[in-house]
Amino acid sequence: DPLARKTENTGMNFDIFTSLAYIDARYVSGQFRGNRVEQAPRVLARAGLTLSAGLLSSTFQASHTSSSFGDANNSALPVDDAVAGVVPAYTILDWSGAARMGGRTKVSFGVNNIVNTRYFTKRTGEYPGPGILPGIGRRLYVGIDRLF
């Protein structure tokens, strides 16, 4: 991998990763012709860095989702029941790590949504709506894996 680097003297590795999707989803016929498809953000971007040394590894990742429309009319302003309107863009930062404890045990840990970004992912008229579906706030986790 040309983006993976190893520091010969320390035994440390780092990997840089990224993905980018550009989506131009539009109605091509019918009543909404030319409008952007609802719930389809134009940009989905992820980028991060993983650092590892010996039995330890750590990853930092940033994820960005651009704005989208909540309805096929491409309403810019929200309505009273929140079904129509823009779903604003948001960026989430995550950190995770892992430590191998002996040959077959691994401890994983991390923080999702480090800065506790307030966002929502969708407007809906269905269960549990009508309204918006909020994103998940900051979340800490720890796990122990026993490898067989």
Side-chain angles (χ1 to χ4, degrees):
D1 181 352
L3 294 179
R5 302 289 182 252
K6 183 173 184 176
T7 305
E8 297 297 328
N9 297 336
T10 65
M12 294 178 66
N13 293 306
F14 70 93
D15 294 295
I16 298 170
F17 57 90
T18 187
S19 70
L20 175 67
Y22 177 79
I23 304 155
D24 190 18
R26 295 179 182 272
Y27 287 98
V28 295
S29 64
Q31 173 185 354
F32 304 113
R33 183 181 179 160
N35 285 7
R36 297 188 42 76
V37 174
E38 65 276 14
Q39 315 301 338
R42 280 192 171 183
V43 176
L44 297 170
R46 310 284 184 263
L49 172 70
T50 298
L51 178 64
S52 60
L55 301 176
L56 301 172
S57 68
S58 179
T59 299
F60 178 78
Q61 176 176 295
S63 303
H64 176 76
T65 302
S66 67
S67 63
S68 61
F69 289 104
D71 65 310
N73 284 317
N74 291 178
S75 303
L77 299 175
V79 295
D80 289 340
D81 65 4
V83 172
V86 173
V87 176
Y90 57 92
T91 301
I92 304 298
L93 304 176
D94 299 321
W95 171 78
S96 64
R100 290 216 180 265
M101 313 296 281
R104 296 186 177 197
T105 304
K106 180 174 81 170
V107 177
S108 302
F109 44 88
V111 182
N112 295 113
N113 194 359
I114 294 170
V115 297
N116 205 25
T117 300
R118 303 290 183 190
Y119 65 103
F120 64 93
T121 59
K122 186 176 180 181
R123 293 180 178 274
T124 182
E126 300 169 4
Y127 179 83
I132 61 173
L133 298 179
I136 298 171
R138 183 182 303 122
R139 185 182 63 160
L140 308 172
Y141 65 90
V142 175
I144 299 174
D145 296 322
R146 179 78 174 149
L147 309 172
F148 294 99

